[in-house]
Every structure is written in structure tokens, then in C-alpha cells.
Amino acid sequence: MCWDISLHSDIEIVKKAFPALKDQRRNLNYDLSHMEDVWAWSFPDYPIIYREKATGELALTEMEWGVYPLYLEGKGKTQQEIDTQRRNQVNARSERIVDDPKSLWYRMKNQRCLIPVSGIYEHRKIKTWKKKVPYYIAEKGRDLFYIPGLYQFMEVVDEDGVVERKGNFAMITRSANEVMAGIHNDGNNKHRMPLFLPEDMEKEWLADITPLDMAEIFSYQLPADQLTYTPVFSLRNAVRMDGKHLYEPFEWQGLPPLGNDDPGSVQTSLF
């Protein structure tokens, strides 16, 4: 699963890419230092682009990362059980969106959104190493790019009894290309990657498309040479002692090249 994304570029770039975008955000001044690593675990608010059903207009608003399991309501589940299931729904497998009528993602297939990111993070397992090595991955030549997602709105009641509409979303993943398979090489969801797309397909995702169109988008695999990827120091509330940003390169001594997860006699760490 992809649990960590980064937004350290000016969000105003979104409005240049989507000139007719309506800005509905509650927070217009992001502290980008706090968004260098956005971790899905706590269902954080994040800026999302979607098309309003009533008007057909594109809008930018905050939604929580992690689709809330509405189907568990009224079934006697504890909040811990609900949150556990929700953490399984921060990502949506592309294979289930058009090919699995029994899945939640199939039912949500027309609730499509884009997730603006500067880049994402993924962890790599090295044989005999206790800690996994985090990598920062981005599309070459793009300060911001957009990962397809699915969203839903739900009504929540605050402590004052006011009903509010809140959105939540999942990021779409697919099978990994060569680079991402080498980095995301461990765990139950290994060899997966976010659905990285070229600009024209990103915008097509928000258009009035059919399941056949979606399947064509899902079949696209971004070539490995269109990604930048580098080891970084640490994630998730970490602070670098050298004062650099979390997404800046860090040299791990003895790190073997991708495709070789046994350190052996390798002495260099960056590629």
C-alpha cells in the first residue's frame, strides 16, 4: 500500500493546470513543512480535485485520506474496528474498479478524483537490515502531478449538532513497473505502485468516461525512466539532523542497487 505522500510545491500550480477550478478549501494557507510527508494512518485532510455532480464544475476541496466504511454502520463495530477497516481502504486496487462488481470500488467507480502530489514515498526491504529504506519518488520534470483516486461524501454531526458534509478518498494503485517493484519489495501488497499517469490521462480521469475508458487508463504503466527515485533519511514525524527536507536525498552506506537486496560487498549507496 502507498501510505505516504508529499505536497511541498505551491498548491496554486493546480489552478494553472485546471483554470476553471473552483477553490472550496477551508484552509487556504498550508504549512508545507507539515506536508512534506502526509501519512495516511490518521486519515489526514488533504486537497483533492473532483467534479461536482450537480454542476459538472471542477472543484478543489479538502477530504480525509481513507474511505470510511459506511457499510459497517449499525453493525455493532467498535471505533477501533472501523478504523482498522478504513486503513485497508486508503488505496483502491485498479483491478477491482471495473472487474469486480462485488467490491466497494466498483460501486464508487463514477466518484473519481485527482490527488495533487509533489511525490510519494515507499519503503524498500534489504536482506539482513533491521530497518527498511525509504525512497522519495516523483514524475520527472513535474513540480506537481496528479494520482487518480475515488471519493465519497458523507454527513457527519459535530458536537453542536450541526450536520456537515465531509469527503474521504482512496488512492488508486496498480502492478508496479520495474523501478517500483524493486523499491516496494516487501509486505502483503508488495510490487504495487500508485497509478502514475501522463497529463492527458490525468485530465481524462475527471471527464465523462466509460468503464472501457477506465480499463484503458488502468492498463497504462508509466515507464521507469520517467520517474525520479532516491533514498531519503526517514519519515513519519522525523526531523533531519542535517536540516534538510525529508524528500531530499540521503546516503545509506552499503545500500545495494535495485534488484539486489543483499548488501554483500556493495559499498555505494546512491545510484
Side-chain angles (χ1 to χ4, degrees), residues 5 31 50 62 90 94 113 126-127 144 148 176 219 222-223 240 258 266:
I5 57 181
D31 183 346
Y50 76 106
E62 294 98 343
V90 300
S94 61
C113 63
I126 308 296
K127 185 178 179 180
L144 272 183
S219 69
L222 189 75
R240 289 186 59 158
L258 293 184
V266 178

Side-chain angles (χ1 to χ4, degrees), residues 28-150:
L28 299 180
N29 298 298
Y30 295 118
D31 183 346
L32 295 183
S33 66
H34 291 164
M35 300 188 75
E36 289 187 5
D37 174 29
V38 180
W39 187 26
W41 183 263
S42 59
F43 319 121
D45 274 348
Y46 195 86
I48 295 297
I49 304 169
Y50 76 106
R51 188 175 297 278
E52 292 186 321
K53 290 185 177 180
T55 64
E57 295 178 298
L58 291 180
L60 177 68
T61 191
E62 294 98 343
M63 296 187 188
E64 292 181 352
W65 189 3
V67 168
Y68 189 91
L70 292 170
Y71 51 84
L72 293 183
E73 289 190 342
K75 295 189 175 182
K77 301 294 184 181
T78 65
Q79 189 61 52
Q80 182 177 356
E81 290 172 321
I82 290 172
D83 287 349
T84 296
Q85 182 58 29
R86 190 177 182 184
R87 290 188 182 102
N88 289 327
Q89 296 176 176
V90 300
N91 293 162
R93 284 180 170 251
S94 61
E95 299 90 337
R96 303 191 66 190
I97 296 172
V98 294
D99 297 330
D100 185 359
K102 295 182 180 180
S103 78
L104 169 66
W105 310 125
Y106 182 89
R107 297 192 295 273
M108 291 177 61
K109 65 181 179 295
N110 292 322
Q111 297 161 215
R112 299 185 297 277
C113 63
L114 288 175
I115 307 160
V117 299
S118 308
I120 67 132
Y121 300 97
E122 192 54 81
H123 290 80
R124 176 187 173 198
K125 173 69 175 177
I126 308 296
K127 185 178 179 180
T128 74
W129 289 25
K130 291 183 178 180
K131 293 184 178 181
K132 294 183 180 181
V133 177
Y135 279 70
Y136 175 71
I137 302 112
E139 288 193 21
K140 281 185 179 177
R142 303 185 69 184
D143 293 326
L144 272 183
F145 57 100
Y146 305 88
I147 300 173
L150 299 174

